[in-house]
Amino acid sequence: MKFLLITTLSILSLATCLHAKQSPLKKNDRIVFLGDSITAAGARPGGYITLSAEAIAKAYPDLNIELIGAGIGGHKVANCQQRLDKDVLQKKPTIVFIYIGINDVWHWTHPRVVARGKKGTTPEDFESGLRDMIQKINDIGARVILCTPTVIGEKPDGTNPDDERLDQYSDISRKVATGNRLPASRFTQGLHHLPQRAQPQKRHRGHSNIRLCAHECRWQPTARQARSRGPAIACSTMSIIKLL
């Protein structure tokens, strides 16, 4: 069940965002999730988008709600801007989750990225990119829910190398959301406040005996999820019920 904490947290956050000061889900709503590899993984079997879609379909079959994943690994704000029309606007969404920022931060320090002469996104470009996408999505009449970046590393005390920059970019996301009167999901804050037993615990040779993330930022694929799939979907369903 520990391996499902991230999935459950994400679904709870999505439900909270949609519920706060927003009208309920409507019949034939189409929800697109725009992002990077975290979003791409979310659309796979057992991912948070897939579980959410299954829970909604089971609980409210008459609503015909469609959830669409539009995540590509390694993408940053600029990449999302470039493919916004094809991957989002042309899908005619009614709700769009923008969940981006990890690579915008990580690519400033990731050794393989730096070795290729590439960089992250400047704070100015990150903010302007978010504003540009939000405007275009709003122009087609869709609602936007903006998600802050999650984590790069799992230390909960602010000592991960990229924590300071992550906080800066999360602040930008929240500022943009506030300025546009959008709900914002504070994934970073939620992850750092997971129960202590779910945080990595030191053991020999610096390894941790609980890994919530793979590759430091991507939520761990749940190889053990089969035996816990029922509880995960139950959590999803309970969260989604709050929407209506």
Side-chain angles (χ1 to χ4, degrees):
M1 195 63 183
K2 293 172 183 175
F3 290 91
L4 293 172
L5 281 170
I6 295 296
T7 300
T8 303
L9 172 64
S10 65
I11 295 169
L12 283 167
S13 298
L14 305 187
T16 300
C17 285
L18 278 171
H19 182 66
K21 297 182 180 180
Q22 297 286 330
S23 59
L25 284 173
K26 300 182 292 295
K27 187 175 178 63
N28 298 320
D29 263 339
R30 181 173 292 163
I31 307 172
V32 174
F33 295 77
L34 176 65
D36 51 32
S37 60
I38 299 173
T39 301
R44 295 171 188 159
Y48 71 94
I49 298 173
T50 302
L51 290 175
S52 296
E54 291 172 357
I56 292 174
K58 182 176 181 179
Y60 307 103
D62 295 337
L63 288 182
N64 191 35
I65 305 296
E66 182 179 9
L67 277 66
I68 301 171
I72 296 180
H75 272 201
K76 301 189 284 284
V77 158
N79 304 112
C80 291
Q81 287 179 269
Q82 292 168 1
R83 61 186 178 88
L84 184 71
D85 183 64
K86 176 185 176 183
D87 290 353
V88 178
L89 303 184
Q90 291 185 27
K91 306 294 185 185
K92 301 186 185 304
T94 55
I95 299 169
V96 178
F97 281 89
I98 300 178
Y99 181 14
I100 199 72
I102 288 292
N103 296 310
D104 299 270
V105 170
W106 204 13
H107 285 188
W108 287 112
T109 59
H110 194 296
R112 290 197 299 271
V113 175
V114 173
R116 295 199 302 267
K118 296 186 177 182
K119 299 179 180 180
T121 305
T122 65
E124 295 77 15
D125 288 344
F126 184 68
E127 180 174 342
S128 65
L130 290 178
R131 293 187 185 280
D132 174 65
M133 291 191 291
I134 290 168
Q135 183 62 57
K136 290 177 178 176
I137 294 168
N138 285 339
D139 284 346
I140 66 167
R143 289 187 280 163
V144 176
I145 295 162
L146 192 56
C147 305
T148 62
T150 46
V151 293
I152 302 174
E154 297 183 19
K155 297 177 182 178
D157 57 358
T159 59
N160 298 293
D162 292 298
D163 279 354
E164 184 175 350
R165 186 176 274 124
L166 270 174
D167 287 342
Q168 178 187 8
Y169 284 57
S170 294
D171 287 343
I172 292 171
S173 293
R174 287 192 288 271
K175 181 178 76 171
V176 171
T178 300
N180 286 273
R181 298 183 179 180
L182 305 176
S185 176
R186 299 187 178 189
F187 280 165
T188 308
Q189 184 181 47
L191 286 168
H192 283 167
H193 286 82
L194 283 173
Q196 187 61 38
R197 67 177 181 274
Q199 297 288 356
Q201 300 172 14
K202 295 293 183 181
R203 65 180 186 186
H204 296 300
R205 298 182 184 177
H207 294 298
S208 60
N209 58 8
I210 299 173
R211 289 289 294 171
L212 297 179
C213 301
H215 305 296
E216 298 187 72
C217 67
R218 190 180 308 133
W219 300 345
Q220 185 80 289
T222 54
R224 303 181 188 182
Q225 192 167 17
R227 66 186 181 189
S228 302
R229 187 169 176 79
I233 294 178
C235 289
S236 304
T237 305
M238 291 174 65
S239 303
I240 298 299
I241 287 173
K242 296 179 181 179
L243 298 176
L244 299 178

